[in-house]
Amino acid sequence: MFKNLLFITLLFAFTAVKAQNNYEIQVYGSETVETGRTMLELHSNYTVNGSKTIEDGVLPTNHVFHETIEITHGWTPWFETGFYFFNTLGSDGRSAYVGSHIRPRVAAPEAWHWPVGVSVSFEFGFQKAAYDANTTSLEIRPIIDKKWGGLYVSLNPTVDKSFVGPESNQGFIFSPNIKVSYDISKVVALGPEYYGSTGPFFHYYSSTNQQHQIFLATDLNFSPNWEFNAGYGWGLTNSTDKSIFKVILGKRF
């Protein structure tokens, strides 16, 4: 019964498929946190070259730090729940607690022996209008990944829906994320990450209003209880912050 329900849920997510904001810059893998364990992560990034004026009541992002605390607990081998606490540090009154999200996620159990890893998360929460004009939103993130030897690929064909704000009258906004990495040693993996936002289905934004970012990122796999990801990103359109440095540090308990 559960297998059928999960299949329907995943199918809905793929058919329902705005860019991931710069508080949590990450392409997800399909695995969930192990049963009874908790992952604590700190997502840190600094916008080297971002927006410099207030737009739609949203404060500029240039020369600002974003610090996000993520706490994820594994309840079963196929179900976890994550909690986010977004914070920003910057001059001119830009230091503040920004908002919080909750993110339940289900995965296809390993016992099914699928040829690829598959999971889907549903992230819901709020953020202050001074930092995001769309103050209440839902993100649906299907996750498909696979590793061939040293090569790893993860696809996150994400969609976002705003319930309060200027985009609340729009449909689901397509925000694809892609990660490719290759193990250059037992510890170090390198590769690109892509983050985009093309607009509502069949009513896509013009090319200049779309958001596209490319990161060159590294993952350090020095312990199964630790997570480390870092990278430098470039924005490819006028609507995207031009350059960002990010670090993710996580520990399993």
Side-chain angles (χ1 to χ4, degrees):
M1 179 64 176
F2 164 74
K3 185 173 180 178
N4 293 334
L5 289 174
L6 180 55
F7 176 79
I8 293 170
T9 301
L10 294 172
L11 181 62
F12 170 79
F14 287 123
T15 57
V17 204
K18 189 175 156 158
Q20 174 174 318
N21 62 40
N22 290 333
Y23 289 89
E24 178 216 353
I25 307 173
Q26 181 180 21
V27 180
Y28 278 76
S30 64
E31 291 185 351
T32 56
V33 174
E34 299 91 333
T35 306
R37 302 195 70 184
T38 299
M39 168 76 89
L40 175 63
E41 294 172 276
L42 179 63
H43 299 255
S44 304
N45 63 74
Y46 177 71
T47 304
V48 180
N49 184 1
S51 62
K52 299 176 176 64
T53 59
I54 297 176
E55 300 176 7
D56 296 326
V58 176
L59 294 170
T61 61
N62 194 55
H63 293 176
V64 71
F65 288 93
H66 289 158
E67 300 289 345
T68 297
I69 299 169
E70 178 182 358
I71 303 170
T72 306
H73 185 76
W75 304 102
T76 75
W78 46 265
F79 177 63
E80 69 177 20
T81 305
F83 303 89
Y84 299 90
F85 304 91
F86 305 127
N87 305 277
T88 183
L89 301 170
S91 59
D92 302 319
R94 292 182 295 168
S95 296
Y97 162 72
V98 173
S100 294
H101 285 187
I102 184 172
R103 178 189 52 77
R105 177 153 68 120
V106 294
E110 291 184 3
W112 293 2
H113 302 296
W114 285 10
V116 296
V118 177
S119 63
V120 60
S121 70
F122 301 86
E123 184 175 329
F124 179 79
F126 75 95
Q127 43 279 334
K128 294 180 180 178
Y131 302 95
D132 190 333
N134 296 287
T135 57
T136 306
S137 59
L138 169 68
E139 175 193 275
I140 302 175
R141 180 184 292 265
I143 303 160
I144 313 100
D145 66 356
K146 177 72 174 180
K147 190 162 187 176
W148 298 268
L151 178 65
Y152 173 76
V153 178
S154 180
L155 308 177
N156 294 185
T158 308
V159 292
D160 300 312
K161 179 70 178 77
S162 171
F163 298 100
V164 180
E167 295 178 353
S168 59
N169 60 345
Q170 299 183 11
F172 283 92
I173 294 176
F174 183 43
S175 304
N177 301 166
I178 302 170
K179 178 182 179 69
V180 178
S181 68
Y182 188 80
D183 296 336
I184 63 173
S185 75
K186 293 182 179 179
V187 175
V188 181
L190 290 173
E193 296 176 358
Y194 165 77
Y195 302 90
S197 178
T198 61
F201 283 109
F202 310 115
H203 299 282
Y204 299 109
Y205 300 141
S206 65
S207 58
T208 57
N209 289 326
Q210 293 183 13
Q211 298 182 15
H212 301 282
Q213 284 179 319
I214 295 290
F215 278 77
L216 179 60
T218 182
D219 297 282
L220 303 183
N221 302 303
F222 50 83
S223 168
N225 291 325
W226 287 88
E227 174 189 26
F228 180 88
N229 170 271
Y232 193 86
W234 296 266
L236 306 181
T237 68
N238 292 333
S239 299
T240 313
D241 287 340
K242 294 301 182 183
S243 57
I244 298 176
F245 177 74
K246 65 147 180 171
V247 175
I248 303 171
L249 182 63
K251 175 70 166 65
R252 286 181 174 86
F253 296 93

